[in-house]
Amino acid sequence: MSSTNNTEIEKIEDTSLVSDTEKSLSDSISKKFPNVQITYVNPNRIRVNVKREEIIDVASFIRDELHFDHAESVSGVDYPEDNQVEVVYHLGSYTDPSLSKQILALATRTPREDIPHPGNDNTKLPSLHDVFPSVSFHERECFEMLGVYFEGNPDNRRLLLPEDWADIPPLRKDFAIKGR
Amino acid sequence: MSERILPGLQLEKVDDRIMTLNVGPQHPGSGHMRIILKVDGDYIVHCDPDPGYVHRGEEKMAEYRNYITNIPHLERPVIHDSCNILYPYCLGVEELLGLEVPERAKYLRVIAAELNRCVYTQYWLGIYGIFLGHSTMFMWPVGDRELFIDLLEKMTGARVTHSYFVPGGIRNDVPPNFEDVCLRYVNYFEKRIKEYADVFYDNPILISRTKDTGILSREDAIKLGTTGSVLRASGVDFDIRKKEPYDVYEEMDFDSDVLKEGDSYARSKIPWLDMFQSCRIIRDALQKMPKSGSVRVKLKPNPKGGDTEVYRRVESGRGALGMHIVSKGKPQPYRLKISVGSFRNLIAMPHLLTGEKLGNLPPVYWSLNYWPVEADR
């Protein structure tokens, strides 16, 4: 899924299983935001790749028009070969019963630096805290584990790691476990 | 403040009004986490949860081990609910590798997951009881829990940390007389947990301590993205077993209980009500289960996933438990993100505790069904 070519829809796995809900969701996103890349539409799962400038607009659209109301998880994935860090928001809906099976993965990428200075380098993304308040602790975790600074998150402190941690963010690929 | 101080330490001006109080990380009332409170007299004016005391880096470890050797360490965050934490992992890996689980294994998985949910809930209930000063409520659940631990030992060979679920099924079949023993234990257990109402849930002391404390409204529960018992106690009917059924939950006859109050009492009642539903599910599964058949598909050594990613979730004892597995065609996952209910409910803690009396900390904290080890991963 990480390939960077800009085809509109890369892969639809077994279209017979994909329901109308997923099709209409992905259609309404691509109609409103033509630059957005929908990488897959699987049963109950949609993945949307956006540029970091657009993520707030797309997230607000997903919340207001498509009725996704909370974030289930925020995972950061490090791609050193692309020189990028990807952040994937998994969004779900409690209020709309037709969406209860759906998880919408909203992914964006930010440049990555070889010698990270978390918070002071180019690895930054706009925070979705104002759109989905549920992301706050998840973004804090992502900041300390991958060094992605979320602009607009009121609380960008350390969370799980020790206070005197002085190494690079541990979920970066160049952080190696001893003996492995 | 101009002097350089060590990281993690903070200097503070002594104020005659606001006092900072560290609850934990080794205080028995907070589990293995620290809550930094600012109190004004008896009232909490600021609450800052500080997890991470038992952080073990499960996600990083998972990137170095293959899909099978990941099993034993991934269940460590919740050893009492180890089947449920392995469930989304196995579902995800099965989706990655394209495995079809045998029918009998699906039912046995559901039985093991429900037994495990009861074992976890009983342990949590015991701690909830003891920290409210109710020592009978510690003894009873911890004693009754032994029944299901015995059953799980018969199934899996281990009291806790079962490592029972594997991609493609379960590790081994149950012993020949399992169905009868299980049914007998479940019937007794159900009779037993009914009695908890008399000693605990209808107890005026518990009601006076937990009713109307730490109220989480329906709107806030949705906005903060809480899950599991916290969400269902605030009137949102959302149970993944019902909403996105996995394995054979679709065929099971059960209800998911919802309460509207949103206070600590409702939050502490939901897991107890869930145990009755677990008993129903287990009985139903025992009846519908195929009496024989294979329980595991044979895997190739060192199976490799494709160049794709999956996100699977289940309902654990503490709410939705999701796993995001990114595969890059290697025997190891490229990235494994574990999204746990405890971590998602953490955000409700400052929201509920700010403005509460300090004495309401234990009922509110424990009613969140929070498991620090799981949240830290």
Side-chain angles (χ1 to χ4, degrees):
Chain A
M1 284 312 128
S2 68
S3 59
T4 43
N5 57 343
N6 283 317
T7 45
E8 196 57 19
I9 294 177
E10 263 186 357
K11 183 163 106 183
I12 295 179
E13 288 166 356
D14 200 359
T15 34
S16 57
L17 288 168
V18 178
S19 75
D20 294 341
T21 324
E22 286 116 42
K23 278 191 198 117
S24 71
L25 285 173
S26 64
D27 287 348
S28 54
I29 296 172
S30 52
K31 198 191 276 176
K32 173 92 184 178
F33 299 98
N35 294 332
V36 158
Q37 179 196 8
I38 295 172
T39 41
Y40 62 78
V41 186
N42 281 353
N44 304 330
R45 303 285 185 268
I46 299 169
R47 184 184 154 110
V48 181
N49 284 4
V50 297
K51 294 212 165 56
R52 67 170 163 175
E53 296 79 25
E54 262 189 323
I55 188 162
I56 300 265
D57 295 336
V58 176
S60 310
F61 174 76
I62 287 169
R63 182 193 59 182
D64 299 332
E65 307 292 325
L66 308 182
H67 311 297
F68 284 89
D69 51 25
H70 70 280
E72 285 221 341
S73 102
V74 179
S75 27
V77 192
D78 188 19
Y79 291 106
E81 66 275 18
D82 301 343
N83 219 8
Q84 280 172 326
V85 179
E86 185 175 68
V87 175
V88 190
Y89 295 86
H90 289 100
L91 308 172
S93 176
Y94 288 143
T95 39
D96 192 339
S98 65
L99 297 178
S100 54
K101 276 186 178 183
Q102 301 290 333
I103 291 286
L104 195 144
L106 181 66
T108 186
R109 288 186 171 216
T110 173
R112 168 191 196 281
E113 287 178 26
D114 286 336
I115 302 160
H117 294 284
N120 297 318
D121 57 11
N122 213 7
T123 314
K124 282 180 184 168
L125 281 177
S127 167
L128 290 192
H129 184 267
D130 294 336
V131 188
F132 298 107
S134 43
V135 300
S136 67
F137 276 93
H138 297 280
E139 285 188 346
R140 257 179 91 176
E141 190 201 345
C142 194
F143 170 55
E144 72 165 358
M145 292 297 175
L146 287 123
V148 183
Y149 185 82
F150 289 93
E151 288 169 309
N153 190 321
D155 205 2
N156 258 320
R157 290 172 298 148
R158 283 265 168 78
L159 189 65
L160 299 174
L161 291 179
E163 285 88 349
D164 55 352
W165 179 265
D167 211 329
I168 61 170
L171 280 178
R172 292 275 180 105
K173 288 288 170 191
D174 37 13
F175 181 90
I177 300 183
K178 274 182 197 159
R180 287 261 170 186
Chain B
M1 291 291 265
S2 60
E3 274 177 60
R4 217 182 117 78
I5 52 169
L6 289 169
L9 291 181
Q10 54 182 14
L11 289 178
E12 202 165 297
K13 238 181 89 189
V14 178
D15 193 308
D16 52 0
R17 201 176 162 89
I18 308 289
M19 190 169 84
T20 307
L21 203 61
N22 282 297
V23 183
Q26 289 171 330
H27 185 271
S30 76
H32 294 298
M33 81 167 305
R34 178 166 68 152
I35 313 171
I36 306 164
L37 299 174
K38 284 194 173 22
V39 287
D40 177 2
D42 214 7
Y43 287 89
I44 299 168
V45 291
H46 185 260
C47 165
D48 181 17
D50 178 24
Y53 190 61
V54 276
H55 173 63
R56 289 187 268 207
E58 296 284 348
E59 292 174 5
K60 187 74 184 177
M61 273 155 69
E63 291 173 10
Y64 286 79
R65 285 157 176 82
N66 68 29
Y67 287 113
I68 304 303
T69 47
N70 263 330
I71 291 171
H73 82 86
L74 275 181
E75 65 182 7
R76 301 308 295 192
V78 238
I79 54 170
H80 304 293
D81 205 2
S82 61
C83 288
N84 274 317
I85 198 167
L86 283 179
Y87 218 145
Y89 176 74
C90 291
L91 292 172
V93 175
E94 279 150 16
E95 197 179 317
L96 277 178
L97 306 179
L99 302 173
E100 186 56 50
V101 181
E103 201 64 9
R104 185 172 160 84
K106 287 184 183 175
Y107 283 93
L108 283 171
R109 275 185 182 192
V110 167
I111 293 170
E114 293 304 320
L115 288 172
N116 239 217
R117 185 191 317 281
C118 292
V119 168
Y120 165 76
T121 306
Q122 291 285 63
Y123 193 84
W124 163 82
L125 197 53
I127 302 175
Y128 188 55
I130 194 75
F131 283 120
L132 296 182
H134 197 307
S135 46
T136 311
M137 208 48 209
F138 176 70
M139 307 289 182
W140 282 18
V142 172
D144 295 336
R145 178 175 166 265
E146 287 295 319
L147 287 175
F148 281 6
I149 290 184
D150 275 357
L151 274 179
L152 284 162
E153 197 182 350
K154 282 187 178 38
M155 278 177 112
T156 69
R159 280 170 55 85
V160 284
T161 56
H162 313 293
S163 303
Y164 191 50
F165 290 26
V166 289
I170 48 173
R171 200 154 38 82
N172 51 279
D173 207 340
V174 291
N177 63 342
F178 178 78
E179 277 93 338
D180 303 335
V181 182
C182 185
L183 198 62
R184 217 169 66 228
Y185 278 21
V186 169
N187 288 341
Y188 173 78
F189 183 84
E190 198 179 21
K191 208 168 73 194
R192 208 39 214 150
I193 52 176
K194 267 185 197 143
E195 294 172 16
Y196 292 1
D198 303 334
V199 72
F200 195 62
Y201 285 105
D202 293 342
N203 190 328
I205 302 173
L206 175 86
I207 293 173
S208 69
R209 284 198 70 183
T210 54
K211 267 258 189 257
D212 297 328
T213 59
I215 298 174
L216 184 68
S217 69
R218 188 178 191 274
E219 289 69 36
D220 286 343
I222 293 170
K223 195 181 78 184
L224 298 175
T226 57
T227 177
S229 55
V230 180
L231 184 71
R232 277 187 281 142
S234 292
V236 185
D237 183 11
F238 197 89
D239 186 331
I240 307 227
R241 290 175 293 174
K242 283 273 183 205
K243 299 290 179 184
E244 198 192 344
Y246 42 96
D247 277 358
V248 286
Y249 273 109
E250 215 163 1
E251 298 161 27
M252 295 294 128
D253 173 35
F254 72 105
D255 305 308
S256 76
D257 296 288
V258 180
L259 295 173
K260 288 201 167 58
E261 291 85 355
D263 56 3
S264 300
Y265 183 69
R267 279 197 296 276
S268 58
K269 208 165 177 177
I270 289 277
W272 175 62
L273 295 172
D274 263 7
M275 286 199 287
F276 291 102
Q277 303 303 333
S278 294
C279 292
R280 275 176 74 183
I281 297 173
I282 295 166
R283 271 198 297 263
D284 209 25
L286 283 173
Q287 208 177 12
K288 291 178 180 161
M289 182 169 70
K291 296 294 166 241
S292 60
S294 107
V295 291
R296 178 161 57 143
V297 290
K298 200 140 180 76
L299 284 178
K300 282 185 287 187
N302 250 4
K304 293 181 181 67
D307 196 5
T308 180
E309 62 175 63
V310 291
Y311 183 85
R312 291 303 298 258
R313 53 183 181 161
V314 303
E315 184 81 13
S316 74
R318 299 148 308 285
L321 210 166
M323 289 219 189
H324 177 217
I325 309 172
V326 182
S327 162
K328 284 259 174 226
K330 293 230 169 62
Q332 299 88 5
Y334 186 76
R335 171 84 167 94
L336 179 81
K337 161 80 187 177
I338 316 166
S339 170
V340 287
S342 302
F343 191 73
R344 288 175 60 191
N345 288 337
L346 187 66
I347 188 174
M349 204 180 287
H351 181 81
L352 294 179
L353 284 174
T354 311
E356 279 290 340
K357 273 188 169 177
L358 185 58
N360 286 341
L361 174 81
V364 173
Y365 173 85
W366 284 104
S367 73
L368 286 173
N369 208 341
Y370 181 73
W371 198 251
V373 199
E374 188 198 44
D376 292 358
R377 283 154 288 150

